[in-house]
Amino acid sequence: MLKLATFIVDKRNLVFLLIGISLVFSAIASGWVKVENDLTAYLPATSQTRKGLDLMKEQFTTFGSAKLMIANVTYDRALEISGEIAASDGVQGVSFDNTTDHYNNVSALYEITFNYPEEDERCLTSLNLILDRYAAYDTYLSTTLGNQLAEIIDAEVKVIMVIVAIIVILVLTLTSQTYAEIPVLGMTFVTAMLLNVGTNFMLGKISFVSNSVTSILQLALSLDYAVILCNRFKEERQTHDIREAAIIALSKGIPEIGASSLTTIGGLVAMIFMQFRLGPDMGVCLIKAILYALFSVFVLMPGLLVLFGPWMDKTKHRNFVPKIPFVGKFAYATRHVVPIVFAVLVVGAYFVSQKCPYVYGTDVIKTPKLNEQQIAANMIRDNFTSSNLVALVVPSGDYEKERAILDRLDGMEHVKSTQGLSNIEALDGYTLTDKLTPRQFAELADIDYELSQLIYTAYATEHEEYGKLVSGVSAYGVPLIDIFLYVCDYIDKGYVTLSDEQTEKLNDAAEKMRNGKLQLQGEDFSRMLVYLDLPESGDETYAFTDAIAAVAQEQYPDGQIYVVGNSTNAYEFKKSFARDNLVVSVMSILIVLVVLLFTFKSVGMPILLIVVIEGSIFINFSIPVFTHVDLFFIAYLIVSSIQMGANIDYAIVIASRYMELQNEMEHRDAIIETMNFAFPTILTSGSILASAGFILGRISSEGTIVGIGQSLGRGTIISIILVMFALPQILLLGGRVIEKTSFSMQGAIRHHESRGRIFVNGVVRGEINGTVTGVMHATVDGEAKLELLSGNVEEAKDDET
């Protein structure tokens, strides 16, 4: 470590140059990052909803659409506007009538469909022209076109980052010992953040959740690493010059900070095992962020400490963080009471937390702040009767079965309406799939009967239905949509000649049919739209989607059936949560347990620490039960992992210090000194993490981010309270358990004898002008005979003597 630290410190100018180049590249590469705004993209690939969504994207065309509400308008004017919008460039159609679905409370709601697929930029162009035309009216727009959500979240995150940065500066000013260390810490973190953001493009595409909160959580989770190294430097600076202090501080800080980061990374690794792929997405982003933070602390920060070292000597100030001996005294006095109260509280919190009001659709989540999209959606919902749309996808080719399904669904209680090729009225009362004879088609299309017979004969021949010709073409029935499109193709090819009026009539009808077919019929599957009066999420809704699938399955017992919509998305979220909840809880505990076993070499100590943090998680997710606030399920999975991985560091600080001091002084004095020592670290890290969480929860308008922020802020505060006012008592009372379950790591014992200066970093036993046993991080001048149980001993070079 000393050799590595010496290289890093002495090559600091080269480090500055290389990192500077990397930052320029990161600034450019940050524009390459692709962000996924749709949470359904992270459903398991094997889920029915994911398969259905992929199939619909492959088989059907979804035209761009928008709901435009215009308030304070008379019905007559609203009707005129409907015609004006319908005549606008790029508009395929407008739904508007005098029912409460479209006109209510002196307000009009237009459901606009554009001529282009929803990913086509021309949809936005047409929409913007309409918005500009009616800018003088009170308008509210609800649409999935464009990147409105991404733009809104990006603007919010910028505000959040500024506020968090101000809080960090204030906290560091209060908890630091020199003013000049603040820019060192700031530059270290900003470098880590920019490097992480600039390399996100290597992940292909990241979720809007990860893109929004990773930098904020990176600061909150990893600032400790920089603080630890800075404190080490200030400690070594008391007896060494700036360069040597930086080298020794880094050599001691690498193993210490590395060990501290393992629990945080361990908790995040648990997210990678989630079935809902948002967990792995966010887990990988945060782990990468932590690694860049470690890189920045280990490689950049030593050079900054040397650079700012003289200023740090000149800008020292008094310690603003008070001692808290009363906490240690309280812990010792209540050591027989608090553990019992804690046990009862945790058991109760466990059972209450099982009733946490998790939700799986964002439609029911209330956020402290509303963005323009949410305001528009609320206005539309409050003024008009809304429907919950789900799509039913079945194998194509049998219009009769499709008609039977639609008729059956239309008779079900919660179905408002249905739409499919088999029940869309086309002309003169016929539906698109009604079978027409040559005479019926001739009357409908206003063409000669003989021409109609000729068309039918050509159609039968092309489709190899020769039996129809033998039995007589006059009785041959062909679905309206098929014969219409067939005729239009022949007109386009010049095989059939009609009058201009007839051609225009057929082409108008054919255009609507083609658009309908693109949306509702693919090469292998047909799509039917079912409008429900149920909310998007809820057990009743989920059960009804199963009922829809069962109706379709009766007609297609061996066929592939898919029910797709916001409700089925939420249903899949619920299914994945049942598994992911268990996986995340078990994996986070196991990974952290393994790290703590090797850290403390005791079975009892890791269990006690995990029980404290797990208890804080139970309490955290019990609170929504009493406040009756719905919680988006992903917030629990993410925050519980972060709590277990990051908040346990507070417990480790207290436990490690107490284990060092308990053999040197009375237990009462040891716990008092431990709490005085740990308080600044916990205050710095905890206040920043809690502040970041609460600010996310207060300023963001996106339900997923709000849930994560609120739960993280609340959970961090609870963790701080428990490690400050319950863990000390547990350590005092559980000392015998810890001692009885301790074990030693067997390994080769290396003997070392030398004279002169040596650097000791590890667990040693031997004589240094006396007998020592324990963990040493020391520089020794004199004769030493040591048995090295772990760690290392290095002799100083001639120029260091």
Side-chain angles (χ1 to χ4, degrees):
M1 288 300 171
L2 280 169
K3 291 179 181 178
L4 177 62
T6 301
F7 176 83
I8 291 173
V9 171
D10 289 345
K11 300 296 182 182
R12 57 188 176 275
N13 290 330
L14 176 61
V15 168
F16 293 155
L17 175 62
L18 294 177
I19 288 182
I21 295 172
S22 299
L23 291 176
V24 173
F25 171 80
S26 294
I28 297 172
S30 62
W32 304 343
V33 180
K34 297 180 180 178
V35 179
E36 177 59 69
N37 295 314
D38 184 7
L39 287 181
T40 62
Y42 297 96
L43 285 170
T46 56
S47 69
Q48 288 297 102
T49 299
R50 182 70 264 160
K51 289 180 180 179
L53 288 167
D54 292 340
L55 188 145
M56 287 202 306
K57 186 175 182 180
E58 173 190 335
Q59 293 272 325
F60 309 107
T61 298
T62 300
F63 291 99
S65 62
K67 290 184 178 181
L68 177 63
M69 173 183 167
I70 297 183
N72 304 314
V73 61
T74 65
Y75 178 75
D76 290 339
R77 176 55 184 147
L79 192 59
E80 291 177 2
I81 292 175
S82 175
E84 294 168 359
I85 295 176
S88 301
D89 290 340
V91 174
Q92 181 183 134
V94 179
S95 294
F96 179 77
D97 53 40
N98 60 358
T99 65
T100 55
D101 288 344
H102 296 104
Y103 190 80
N104 192 38
N105 295 335
V106 200
S107 299
L109 178 64
Y110 306 97
E111 297 182 62
I112 307 169
T113 304
F114 297 96
N115 281 326
Y116 321 107
E118 59 183 356
E119 63 273 10
D120 195 316
E121 289 294 327
R122 288 177 293 180
C123 290
L124 274 177
T125 302
S126 299
L127 176 60
N128 289 332
L129 289 175
I130 294 172
L131 294 176
D132 290 342
R133 183 172 186 176
Y134 301 104
Y137 291 82
D138 296 328
T139 60
Y140 301 90
L141 176 69
S142 176
T143 183
T144 57
L145 298 176
N147 294 313
Q148 282 184 308
L149 179 62
E151 294 170 0
I152 290 169
I153 292 176
D154 185 59
E156 292 173 348
V157 168
K158 289 178 180 177
V159 174
I160 293 170
M161 285 297 297
V162 171
I163 297 174
V164 170
I166 293 172
I167 291 175
V168 168
I169 292 173
L170 291 175
V171 171
L172 292 178
T173 301
L174 292 174
T175 58
S176 65
Q177 296 174 351
T178 68
Y179 293 115
E181 70 186 74
I182 296 175
V184 172
L185 297 173
M187 285 188 283
T188 300
F189 171 72
V190 170
T191 298
M193 180 188 70
L194 293 177
L195 291 176
N196 186 57
V197 170
T199 54
N200 277 338
F201 76 93
M202 296 188 298
L203 300 178
K205 182 179 284 189
I206 63 174
S207 69
F208 72 91
V209 180
S210 299
N211 189 56
S212 303
V213 305
T214 295
S215 294
I216 298 169
L217 293 182
Q218 180 188 26
L219 167 62
L221 294 174
S222 63
L223 187 64
D224 270 0
Y225 309 151
V227 172
I228 290 173
L229 183 60
C230 189
N231 289 340
R232 279 287 182 191
F233 173 77
K234 289 182 292 185
E235 182 181 338
E236 298 297 334
R237 183 71 184 92
Q238 296 176 6
T239 56
H240 300 87
D241 61 34
I242 291 177
R243 172 183 172 276
E244 190 171 286
I247 292 172
I248 298 173
L250 181 59
S251 67
K252 295 178 180 180
I254 290 176
E256 181 180 357
I257 295 169
S260 174
S261 69
L262 287 179
T263 54
T264 302
I265 293 175
L268 298 175
V269 166
M271 295 167 61
I272 296 177
F273 293 91
M274 286 171 54
Q275 191 177 41
F276 182 43
R277 306 310 297 168
L278 180 63
D281 174 83
M282 195 165 181
V284 169
C285 286
L286 285 173
I287 290 172
K288 185 165 73 73
I290 297 298
L291 294 177
Y292 271 113
L294 292 172
F295 171 81
S296 187
V297 169
F298 293 155
V299 177
L300 172 65
M301 189 173 175
L304 294 176
L305 289 172
V306 173
L307 188 64
F308 282 82
W311 291 98
M312 292 174 67
D313 292 339
K314 296 176 182 179
T315 58
K316 292 181 180 179
H317 60 77
R318 68 181 182 86
N319 190 358
F320 297 116
V321 181
K323 298 290 185 180
I324 53 169
F326 64 91
V327 175
K329 293 176 182 178
F330 171 79
Y332 190 79
T334 59
R335 64 190 183 280
H336 296 296
V337 177
V338 168
I340 298 173
V341 175
F342 171 78
V344 173
L345 180 63
V346 169
V347 171
Y350 169 77
F351 288 105
V352 174
S353 66
Q354 303 306 302
K355 300 178 182 179
C356 185
Y358 297 116
V359 293
Y360 307 94
T362 55
D363 59 311
V364 296
I365 298 177
K366 295 181 180 179
T367 58
K369 174 185 174 183
L370 297 178
N371 58 48
E372 291 182 6
Q373 280 187 324
Q374 292 167 327
I375 292 172
N378 289 344
M379 287 292 292
I380 293 173
R381 185 183 62 244
D382 293 342
N383 286 280
F384 302 95
T385 55
S386 58
S387 298
N388 176 15
L389 171 63
V390 297
L392 173 61
V393 180
V394 300
S396 64
D398 195 326
Y399 293 136
E400 295 302 322
K401 288 184 177 180
E402 293 177 26
R403 169 69 68 85
I405 291 173
L406 292 171
D407 288 345
R408 176 79 180 278
L409 292 175
D410 280 329
M412 298 178 73
E413 178 183 359
H414 293 293
V415 176
K416 295 179 63 177
S417 63
T418 61
Q419 186 180 62
L421 289 180
S422 297
N423 70 351
I424 294 179
E425 187 174 330
L427 299 168
D428 296 348
Y430 291 113
T431 66
L432 289 176
T433 61
D434 281 342
K435 290 184 176 181
L436 273 63
T437 63
R439 183 169 297 280
Q440 289 172 318
F441 180 70
E443 294 173 353
L444 180 66
D446 193 21
I447 61 176
D448 293 336
Y449 175 56
E450 289 76 11
L451 177 58
S452 179
Q453 284 184 309
L454 180 62
I455 293 171
Y456 270 67
T457 300
Y459 182 91
T461 302
E462 186 169 318
H463 289 80
E464 298 181 355
E465 295 185 352
Y466 303 112
K468 303 295 185 181
L469 299 178
V470 174
S471 61
V473 74
S474 61
Y476 183 24
V478 179
L480 172 59
I481 187 173
D482 294 337
I483 196 65
F484 245 97
L485 296 180
Y486 180 79
V487 171
C488 290
D489 287 340
Y490 264 62
I491 292 174
D492 293 340
K493 294 176 182 178
Y495 297 150
V496 177
T497 303
L498 300 175
S499 67
D500 292 342
E501 183 179 351
Q502 290 173 323
T503 301
E504 184 179 356
K505 181 179 179 181
L506 283 176
N507 285 338
D508 288 344
E511 182 181 3
K512 295 177 181 179
M513 291 181 189
R514 286 194 182 100
N515 289 336
K517 194 168 184 177
L518 286 171
Q519 296 183 79
L520 300 174
Q521 188 177 64
E523 183 177 348
D524 305 305
F525 289 87
S526 291
R527 177 165 62 175
M528 290 170 273
L529 308 180
V530 186
Y531 297 87
L532 309 177
D533 61 8
L534 293 169
E536 287 187 357
S537 58
D539 291 338
E540 186 180 11
T541 304
Y542 305 149
F544 198 80
T545 60
D546 287 338
I548 293 174
V551 169
Q553 205 72 56
E554 291 176 4
Q555 297 294 328
Y556 300 93
D558 300 320
Q560 292 175 281
I561 305 296
Y562 300 98
V563 181
V564 182
N566 289 338
S567 293
T568 60
N569 297 341
Y571 197 9
E572 290 289 356
F573 292 156
K574 182 178 181 180
K575 293 176 183 176
S576 67
F577 178 65
R579 173 191 177 275
D580 290 342
N581 185 12
L582 178 62
V583 169
V584 168
S585 298
V586 172
M587 291 303 300
S588 61
I589 291 174
L590 286 179
I591 294 172
V592 172
L593 179 63
V594 170
V595 173
L596 296 182
L597 280 173
F598 286 95
T599 300
F600 289 101
K601 299 181 179 63
S602 166
V603 176
M605 179 64 85
I607 292 176
L608 293 178
L609 300 187
I610 288 174
V611 165
V612 171
I613 301 303
E614 195 66 36
S616 72
I617 294 173
F618 294 153
I619 297 172
N620 186 17
F621 292 100
S622 296
I623 292 178
V625 178
F626 299 107
T627 58
H628 305 290
V629 175
D630 293 327
L631 180 67
F632 196 46
F633 76 103
I634 195 63
Y636 170 80
L637 297 173
I638 292 174
V639 173
S640 61
S641 297
I642 293 176
Q643 267 194 266
M644 180 54 68
N647 290 171
I648 203 167
D649 283 348
Y650 312 153
I652 293 173
V653 170
I654 292 175
S656 300
R657 188 65 173 181
Y658 176 71
M659 295 302 291
E660 290 178 14
L661 297 177
Q662 67 172 346
N663 295 324
E664 299 177 11
M665 57 185 73
E666 295 292 333
H667 287 183
R668 180 179 181 276
D669 297 332
I671 202 64
I672 292 173
E673 180 60 31
T674 293
M675 300 313 295
N676 285 334
F677 168 83
F679 180 60
T681 301
I682 296 174
L683 176 65
T684 303
S685 177
S687 60
I688 291 174
L689 184 57
S691 298
F694 285 130
I695 292 169
L696 276 172
R698 174 56 58 180
I699 293 182
S700 178
S701 59
E702 207 290 320
T704 307
I705 298 174
V706 167
I708 293 173
Q710 291 176 341
S711 299
L712 181 61
R714 185 177 62 236
T716 301
I717 295 296
I718 293 170
S719 296
I720 291 173
I721 293 173
L722 290 185
V723 298
M724 292 290 292
F725 297 100
L727 177 62
Q729 291 88 330
I730 293 172
L731 293 175
L732 287 166
L733 198 63
R736 185 167 297 179
V737 175
I738 298 170
E739 182 181 348
K740 293 292 184 181
T741 58
S742 297
F743 59 89
S744 60
M745 299 294 294
Q746 296 298 324
I749 297 178
R750 290 167 289 164
H751 296 270
H752 179 86
E753 293 188 20
S754 65
R755 292 188 179 186
R757 172 166 294 183
I758 62 172
F759 302 107
V760 181
N761 184 16
V763 181
V764 300
R765 181 174 64 244
E767 297 181 1
I768 307 177
N769 291 330
T771 301
V772 296
T773 300
V775 179
M776 292 189 63
H777 301 284
T779 301
V780 178
D781 289 301
E783 184 176 352
K785 294 181 180 181
L786 303 174
E787 293 178 353
L788 190 65
L789 305 181
S790 69
N792 60 73
V793 176
E794 290 193 27
E795 295 185 17
K797 300 176 183 178
D798 292 340
D799 59 350
E800 295 178 331
T801 303

